[in-house]
Amino acid sequence: MSCGCKTSGDSAHSCGPKKTANGCENVNTCGNSYKLSVFDWLSNIQNPASNRCDFVEVRFKNDRKSFYKNVNNIPLHIGSVVTVESSPGHDIGVVSLTGELVKIQMKKKKVSEESALKIYRQSNQKDIEVWQEVRKKEDSVKIEARKIAQRLGLEMKVTDVEYQGDASKVTFYYTADNRVDFRQLIKDYAGAFRTKIDMKQIGFRQEAAKVGGIGSCGRELCCSTWLTDFRSVNTNVARYQQLSINPQKLAGQCGKLKCCLNYELDSYLDTLSNFPSSSTTLDTEKGRAFCIKIDVFKKKMWFAYVENSIAWYDFDIDLVKKLISKNKRGEKTLPLEDLKQPETSLKSIDLIQENNVDRFEKKNKGNNRHKNQNRSNANNQNNQNQQGQGQKRPNNKPERQDRDRSEKSERQQNSNANNQPRQPKSQQPKPQLEKVAAPNSDAEKKPNPNKKKFKKKFPPKKDNNA
């Protein structure tokens, strides 16, 4: 047995073992987002009064709802499929609200308790099967009804078709700009569908509510989810909110102005009550200036000269009020360019770098730069510590190069000396020895002038930082 809790009223959906006599236990999550549903915030609160509310709200296909009286005191819950009174026969719907909130909704919609119809019983298996069969035929009946209306040349559009629960009546919802004479149409419908025909004309907003869809904001249409009343929307609403009169942007899926334009209208009207009139003109020493633009959020007004309307000057509304009072006293104000005060530019700090496309790359580069800098600082600090302690002498390339050059020059001198012809010993002059008088001559040895001096070579030291 189906719980009938799907939005479209498709009874083919079933909740399986969760369906009980009290209704669907998982009614809020089994795919049944009720259109124009009311949140029962009193469901977990026990009623202190002894008498309970005997009225329940029953939802039918799409957004059609009605209130019924539970005369037999049947235990009903949200999601219960019930058989209710209708004319003719009976209809089948799903309970959408119970408890004390039903009286509040009836008072809000101005429904009298005396005119409410009654609930017969909870739907049995036979009622559910008949309801399923007629629901399956609705799409094909809608297509056939449109063909018949087009053949008769009627300027109308069949939007939706709804069968009654016992298949004794079918209701056609249609939209039309002008009045339609459908006397012949009803005869053709009765002959084609063999049941009682009921025609109901709806507006374009009601059509959008029945069909549903996604708005320009990316969410489901307000009229098909929670909006119950349709207030009139005109172009003055867009003018108060300083919006451009663009029909493509201001119109919704129904072709009319969007209902959401009314949501913030009261806030705009409260703010605009503190503004001077948009038709305000200022008498300056340079000429007359008129208001050309208003910024509601910044509370500023833009003015321009009548002779030169290209240059705009913005002023706070407090300053504009002072200038208007000065003009009323018969005094002219300073030119607009003199009244304009230089604005202090506020530097905006982009903490999360939203406006920077390469924020991730720059972040990585900065991290690498800091890492390299930290490494070089650490190495320099280690070298300084080593020099101070005298443990190791750092490898300096300039000293090594000087030492290599000196060794190379000595080698060249030695090679040149070997290449020169040797003189005989007799011809070689004897070196004259200088006698050095020293008190401690015995302890010191005299140097040998004939002995060649070789620079002691040390192995190259290892570079720890290489």
Side-chain angles (χ1 to χ4, degrees):
M1 180 183 294
S2 170
C3 66
C5 60
K6 223 178 180 186
T7 303
S8 62
D10 185 8
S11 57
H13 166 72
S14 178
C15 293
K18 296 181 180 180
K19 175 69 178 68
T20 61
N22 295 331
C24 177
E25 295 178 357
N26 202 16
V27 70
N28 292 325
T29 58
C30 66
N32 72 316
S33 62
Y34 283 146
K35 289 187 177 181
L36 308 178
S37 61
V38 179
F39 176 68
D40 190 3
W41 54 275
L42 293 174
S43 59
N44 297 328
I45 300 175
Q46 188 176 1
N47 188 10
S50 58
N51 56 345
R52 64 175 184 176
C53 181
D54 295 332
F55 294 91
V56 295
E57 184 187 61
V58 180
R59 183 186 63 87
F60 301 94
K61 185 179 179 181
N62 291 331
D63 60 340
R64 185 169 71 92
K65 291 183 180 181
S66 186
F67 299 96
Y68 293 88
K69 188 174 183 179
N70 188 4
V71 293
N72 298 324
N73 294 328
I74 305 172
L76 298 177
H77 299 273
I78 296 177
S80 300
V81 184
V82 292
T83 301
V84 298
E85 181 182 1
S86 181
S87 177
H90 64 269
D91 201 354
I92 297 176
V94 181
V95 176
S96 58
L97 187 64
T98 60
E100 296 296 328
L101 288 181
V102 179
K103 289 185 177 180
I104 299 176
Q105 293 294 320
M106 292 176 67
K107 185 177 180 180
K108 179 181 177 181
K109 297 180 180 180
K110 299 179 180 180
V111 178
S112 62
E113 298 181 358
E114 291 78 10
S115 61
L117 301 177
K118 59 183 178 180
I119 297 176
Y120 289 148
R121 60 184 180 276
Q122 253 187 327
S123 300
N124 52 30
Q125 186 64 33
K126 185 178 180 180
D127 296 336
I128 296 293
E129 290 177 356
V130 175
W131 186 40
Q132 290 176 351
E133 292 296 329
V134 295
R135 280 294 174 87
K136 292 178 182 178
K137 298 191 300 181
E138 287 178 352
D139 291 335
S140 60
V141 169
K142 180 172 62 175
I143 295 173
E144 185 65 24
R146 289 178 177 178
K147 292 180 180 179
I148 296 173
Q150 186 177 7
R151 187 174 65 247
L152 295 176
L154 299 177
E155 296 180 358
M156 59 177 293
K157 176 186 176 183
V158 179
T159 302
D160 195 11
V161 177
E162 182 181 1
Y163 266 95
Q164 195 169 281
D166 58 352
S168 61
K169 184 178 70 173
V170 57
T171 303
F172 293 91
Y173 298 95
Y174 70 96
T175 58
D177 294 329
N178 301 318
R179 186 177 178 181
V180 180
D181 185 8
F182 46 79
R183 289 176 291 183
Q184 183 62 34
L185 181 66
I186 293 177
K187 294 179 181 179
D188 294 344
Y189 281 174
F193 306 124
R194 300 293 179 181
T195 184
K196 184 180 179 181
I197 306 299
D198 188 9
M199 303 293 296
K200 284 189 177 181
Q201 184 177 1
I202 59 176
F204 294 100
R205 296 182 187 274
Q206 286 82 1
E207 179 188 10
K210 285 184 175 295
V211 176
I214 305 298
S216 58
C217 58
R219 302 184 64 179
E220 195 174 354
L221 297 180
C222 299
C223 55
S224 62
T225 52
W226 63 271
L227 190 63
T228 56
D229 56 339
F230 297 97
R231 291 191 296 170
S232 61
V233 186
N234 50 25
T235 55
N236 290 330
V237 176
R239 291 191 179 95
Y240 286 136
Q241 302 180 32
Q242 311 300 319
L243 300 175
S244 60
I245 309 301
N246 188 353
Q248 295 180 353
K249 292 184 178 180
L250 297 180
Q253 292 190 0
C254 57
K256 305 293 183 180
L257 292 177
K258 294 179 181 179
C259 297
C260 56
L261 293 176
N262 283 329
Y263 297 165
E264 298 178 356
L265 178 61
D266 296 336
S267 300
Y268 276 90
L269 292 177
D270 292 340
T271 307
L272 288 174
S273 62
N274 298 324
F275 274 72
S277 177
S278 59
S279 59
T280 301
T281 57
L282 299 177
D283 292 334
T284 64
E285 296 176 357
K286 198 173 180 179
R288 293 179 64 84
F290 65 97
C291 179
I292 199 169
K293 181 184 174 183
I294 293 176
D295 194 331
V296 181
F297 298 103
K298 294 183 179 180
K299 295 184 179 180
K300 289 185 177 182
M301 298 179 70
W302 273 259
F303 285 88
Y305 290 109
V306 177
E307 294 79 7
N308 184 15
S309 61
I310 298 176
W312 295 8
Y313 303 93
D314 59 305
F315 305 103
D316 293 335
I317 58 174
D318 297 332
L319 180 59
V320 174
K321 290 179 181 179
K322 294 179 181 179
L323 298 177
I324 292 173
S325 62
K326 192 174 182 180
N327 289 148
K328 288 181 179 179
R329 293 194 300 266
E331 301 175 3
K332 290 187 177 181
T333 63
L334 295 174
L336 298 180
E337 52 269 17
D338 296 340
L339 294 172
K340 177 63 179 174
Q341 297 178 357
E343 296 182 356
T344 57
S345 60
L346 299 176
K347 294 182 180 180
S348 61
I349 301 174
D350 192 4
L351 297 177
I352 59 177
Q353 296 182 354
E354 282 185 342
N355 300 327
N356 193 356
V357 180
D358 301 331
R359 57 186 182 273
F360 299 109
E361 298 179 3
K362 288 186 178 181
K363 187 176 180 181
N364 295 332
K365 289 181 181 179
N367 291 337
N368 295 333
R369 193 184 301 112
H370 291 309
K371 288 180 181 178
N372 296 332
Q373 188 175 0
N374 294 333
R375 288 177 182 175
S376 62
N377 294 335
N379 293 334
N380 295 334
Q381 189 175 3
N382 293 332
N383 294 334
Q384 291 176 2
N385 295 334
Q386 291 174 4
Q387 288 179 2
Q389 296 175 1
Q391 295 177 356
K392 293 183 180 180
R393 187 172 63 186
N395 185 18
N396 297 327
K397 288 186 178 181
E399 294 179 2
R400 181 186 291 179
Q401 290 177 0
D402 295 340
R403 187 172 60 191
D404 294 342
R405 287 175 185 173
S406 62
E407 292 177 359
K408 194 173 184 179
S409 61
E410 288 179 2
R411 289 175 186 174
Q412 289 179 358
Q413 290 177 4
N414 295 331
S415 62
N416 293 334
N418 294 330
N419 293 332
Q420 291 180 1
R422 294 184 180 180
Q423 296 180 0
K425 294 182 179 180
S426 60
Q427 296 179 0
Q428 290 180 358
K430 292 182 180 180
Q432 295 180 359
L433 300 177
E434 295 180 357
K435 293 181 180 180
V436 180
N440 299 328
S441 59
D442 298 335
E444 296 179 358
K445 293 182 178 181
K446 294 181 180 180
N448 189 5
N450 296 329
K451 190 176 181 179
K452 293 183 179 180
K453 296 180 179 181
F454 294 97
K455 192 172 183 179
K456 191 175 181 179
K457 296 182 180 180
F458 295 95
K461 295 185 178 182
K462 294 182 180 180
D463 189 3
N464 295 328
N465 297 328

